Amino acid sequence: MDYSLVKGLHITAALLSIGLFIWRASVAIRHQRKPAAALRVVSHSVDTALFVLGSLMAYWLTLSPLATPWFGIKLMAILVYIALGFVVMRA
């Protein structure tokens, strides 16, 4: 698989993930009906693809969060994103 293809798919997955997160969060915050199960499955599938593609790129580039500061910050941001999702979606 070509690196530029994986990078493009990763960027697309990131944009989809953010969009789906905002949509699901707005539904949860407004206490509307619970998002459809299909939406949750799509959201989790996109997040899984995002993680797998990002991990593949990190492996190919031999990135280490301790040796590459921006990569460590990005991993911390992912943990914050997951924590926010937990808080918002459970509210």
Side-chain angles (χ1 to χ4, degrees), residues 64-75:
S64 166
L66 299 176
T68 312
W70 68 264
F71 186 59
I73 292 169
K74 188 170 198 159
L75 292 177

Side-chain angles (χ1 to χ4, degrees), residues 21 47 51 75-88:
F21 179 84
D47 288 344
F51 178 77
L75 292 177
M76 294 301 290
I78 290 169
L79 294 176
V80 169
Y81 177 79
I82 292 169
L84 277 174
F86 242 15
V87 170
V88 170

Side-chain angles (χ1 to χ4, degrees), residues 6-88:
V6 171
K7 183 178 177 182
L9 290 172
H10 180 72
I11 291 169
T12 302
L15 294 173
L16 283 172
S17 178
I18 292 168
L20 288 168
F21 179 84
I22 291 169
W23 186 18
R24 287 182 65 204
S26 68
V27 169
I29 288 171
R30 287 187 267 153
H31 298 293
Q32 293 179 343
R33 58 181 167 65
K34 206 169 191 176
L39 177 59
R40 286 195 313 270
V41 170
V42 169
S43 181
H44 292 202
S45 298
V46 168
D47 288 344
T48 300
L50 181 62
F51 178 77
V52 169
L53 293 166
S55 298
L56 182 60
M57 288 192 311
Y59 175 76
W60 282 349
L61 297 173
T62 61
L63 294 176
S64 166
L66 299 176
T68 312
W70 68 264
F71 186 59
I73 292 169
K74 188 170 198 159
L75 292 177
M76 294 301 290
I78 290 169
L79 294 176
V80 169
Y81 177 79
I82 292 169
L84 277 174
F86 242 15
V87 170
V88 170

